[in-house]
Each structure stands twice: as C-alpha cells, then as structure tokens.
Amino acid sequence: QEIMLASQKARLGQLHLGRGATQIFSRFKSLTLDTINKQVLAAEYAVRGRLPTRAAAIQQELTKGSKYPFNELVYCNIGNPQQVGQEPLTFNREVLALLTAPQLLSSAEKLTQQGLISSEAVARAKEYIQRSAKVGAYTDSVGFQFIREEVCDFIKERDGNRPDVKNVFLTNGASEGARLVMSALAAKHLGTVGFMAPIPQYPLYSALSTLMDCELVGYYLDEDKNWAVSLPALTAAYEDAMKKGIVVRALVVINPG
C-alpha cells in the first residue's frame, strides 16, 4: 500500500523520491518475461494457441485476396455451435436487448407485429424490469435473486430436489465458474493440490492447474465405449496421484466427455 501511495503521489508531482526508491521503481517499471508470474509462462491454453492464431492470420490474408486451396475457415477450437451454423437462441437475446435498451418496450407492440421481437420476450423483459433487473449497473455478486430462484425451480424440475437459493450463484460463463471453484480448492498449505479431469479434456483445466501451481490428474476415457468414464481408470489415476504425494481435491466430469 505504501508503494502504491508513493506511486500515486509521484504521478501528481507531490513526492520527491530518493535514489534508492527510484531504483526500486525502475526495477519494476514494466512487465517483462523476467518479472511476470512464471506460472503464466508455463500455462498452455490450446484454445487460444498457435493454431487459432495462425488461422486468424490466414483469415486476414483471405480477406485481402490471398489465394489458398480453400476460401473459408471453420473454427473448431472452442465449443461454439453457432460457428458451424446453429442459429442463436433468439429468446435470450431479445430479452437482453429489451433490458439493455428499455426504451424499446414503449414500441414493443409494434416490434412484435413486425416480427422483430416475440411477445414472450416482451413479457419476460417487463417482468424482470418490475423486479428491478437493472442491467448494466453493478448487481449482487451472486446474481439477481429472482433469477437464482428460477435456476432452483429448473433444478427441482430436472432432478426432483430444489436447492436452497443461498447455495446458488451465477457466473459469467462456465469457465468463470470453474476458475472460482478451482481457486477455492487450490490450498497450497495442504500440499501439492491436484484436479482430476478427463483426457481428452478442455484445455481450461490444464491451464488453470498450471496457473494455480497445481497438478492436473488426468483419467482416460474409453474411446471404444463412446468415450465413457470407467471406474478402473478413475481409480488408477487417483491412486497414482496419491503415490506421488498429490492431494486430489476435485473431480471434473464433462458431459459429453
């Protein structure tokens, strides 16, 4: 905090730094390969790795008229079905559009008649606004409670049991949820922490494991059985990790695997 305060005063011209302090600031004046967190350098995230980077460069070349044996790229590095032609869920987008631009609700009837927005989306947006869904402003960090209530209702309908809304919180996508859980479990004071994940796996888990200085404990899926999970594979991976002194704290299950 003292260094941050000194830095702020220095920018405002309110602080005269001695030679020693100047050397300290000079040493850490920029982020370099020598000063960056080494776990960041070691992390590999194939989703944003060399192949997608090269594909983006080729896409630019195609746009400029360069010739390749093909004229279109299909990005398969992330699970994005819309990238290969699936239509987006219009209901969600319509509701969000109305919430982020509530003035459109004054013309909702006309927009519905023109087929631009469904009446169901208009009704849902009005309901959310009445329940104080102020989109674009800071909200409760766990998400709107009435949305979490809807999640609880969905889980009850699906599984037969309704969770306590206090135990449900919303994240900005599945990756953010995985990061939060893994961060909470990466307790280095317990030893070398490991996360069990299926192989092949989504690179998020290996990258986060490296960033958090933990170990990825891979268990192999059975390709001959449609990539099914087998108890022997789980047991073997777990016991091998234990022999290496790894404290396994979580099991990642992906459906489909």
Side-chain angles (χ1 to χ4, degrees), residues 43-53 76-78 201-204 206-207:
E44 295 184 1
Y45 191 45
V47 172
R48 308 296 181 190
R50 294 182 179 179
L51 284 178
T53 300
C76 299
N77 57 308
I78 56 177
Q201 54 97 26
Y202 183 55
L204 170 74
S206 55

Side-chain angles (χ1 to χ4, degrees), residues 2-3 6-7 10 15-29:
E2 292 178 357
I3 291 178
S7 177
L15 180 67
H16 297 285
L17 298 176
R19 182 177 180 182
T22 302
Q23 291 176 345
I24 292 177
F25 279 105
S26 298
R27 181 182 176 187
F28 298 104
K29 66 181 180 180

Side-chain angles (χ1 to χ4, degrees), residues 4-256:
M4 292 177 62
L5 181 59
S7 177
Q8 292 172 356
K9 289 184 176 180
R11 287 198 301 269
L12 296 173
Q14 298 174 349
L15 180 67
H16 297 285
L17 298 176
R19 182 177 180 182
T22 302
Q23 291 176 345
I24 292 177
F25 279 105
S26 298
R27 181 182 176 187
F28 298 104
K29 66 181 180 180
S30 62
L31 186 64
T32 67
L33 292 178
D34 293 326
T35 60
I36 196 173
N37 182 349
K38 298 305 180 184
Q39 300 305 123
V40 174
L41 295 178
E44 295 184 1
Y45 191 45
V47 172
R48 308 296 181 190
R50 294 182 179 179
L51 284 178
T53 300
R54 178 56 184 149
I58 292 176
Q59 183 65 65
Q60 291 183 354
E61 294 173 12
L62 287 172
T63 302
K64 295 178 180 178
S66 297
K67 300 298 182 181
Y68 280 89
F70 49 86
N71 54 22
E72 182 182 4
L73 293 175
V74 177
Y75 290 85
C76 299
N77 57 308
I78 56 177
N80 183 7
Q82 294 172 23
Q83 186 71 46
V84 289
Q86 178 177 304
E87 291 296 324
L89 297 174
T90 55
F91 177 77
N92 295 352
R93 297 192 176 197
E94 289 175 1
V95 173
L96 286 173
L98 292 170
L99 291 176
T100 54
Q103 68 273 14
L104 293 177
L105 286 173
S106 60
S107 305
E109 183 177 352
K110 182 178 180 180
L111 293 172
T112 301
Q113 291 174 350
Q114 294 175 340
L116 298 176
I117 292 180
S118 66
S119 58
E120 293 82 3
V122 172
R124 183 66 62 86
K126 288 182 177 179
E127 176 191 347
Y128 284 174
I129 288 178
Q130 290 174 356
R131 302 177 76 172
S132 300
K134 298 185 182 302
V135 176
Y138 287 115
T139 62
D140 191 331
S141 59
V142 297
F144 291 119
Q145 179 164 337
F146 62 88
I147 299 292
R148 288 155 49 219
E149 293 281 2
E150 292 182 354
V151 172
C152 292
D153 293 339
F154 169 80
I155 294 175
K156 180 180 179 180
E157 183 177 347
R158 185 191 64 182
D159 302 336
N161 295 307
R162 193 179 194 279
D164 189 333
V165 69
K166 295 179 180 178
N167 296 327
V168 174
F169 66 92
L170 310 179
T171 62
N172 184 24
S175 295
E176 177 65 11
R179 185 189 67 80
L180 287 172
V181 172
M182 292 177 69
S183 296
L185 293 172
K188 296 297 294 181
H189 64 280
L190 298 178
T192 301
V193 173
F195 300 106
M196 291 186 67
I199 302 297
Q201 54 97 26
Y202 183 55
L204 170 74
Y205 299 99
S206 55
L208 286 177
S209 295
T210 302
L211 285 172
M212 296 175 185
D213 198 18
C214 297
E215 294 291 332
L216 182 75
V217 179
Y219 63 89
Y220 286 86
L221 303 176
D222 192 336
E223 183 177 0
D224 294 332
K225 295 182 179 179
N226 295 321
W227 304 101
V229 178
S230 68
L231 184 58
L234 288 173
T235 303
Y238 178 80
E239 292 180 347
D240 182 61
M242 294 291 288
K243 291 178 182 178
K244 296 177 181 178
I246 298 174
V247 181
V248 178
R249 302 213 66 201
L251 170 66
V252 177
V253 179
I254 301 176
N255 182 29

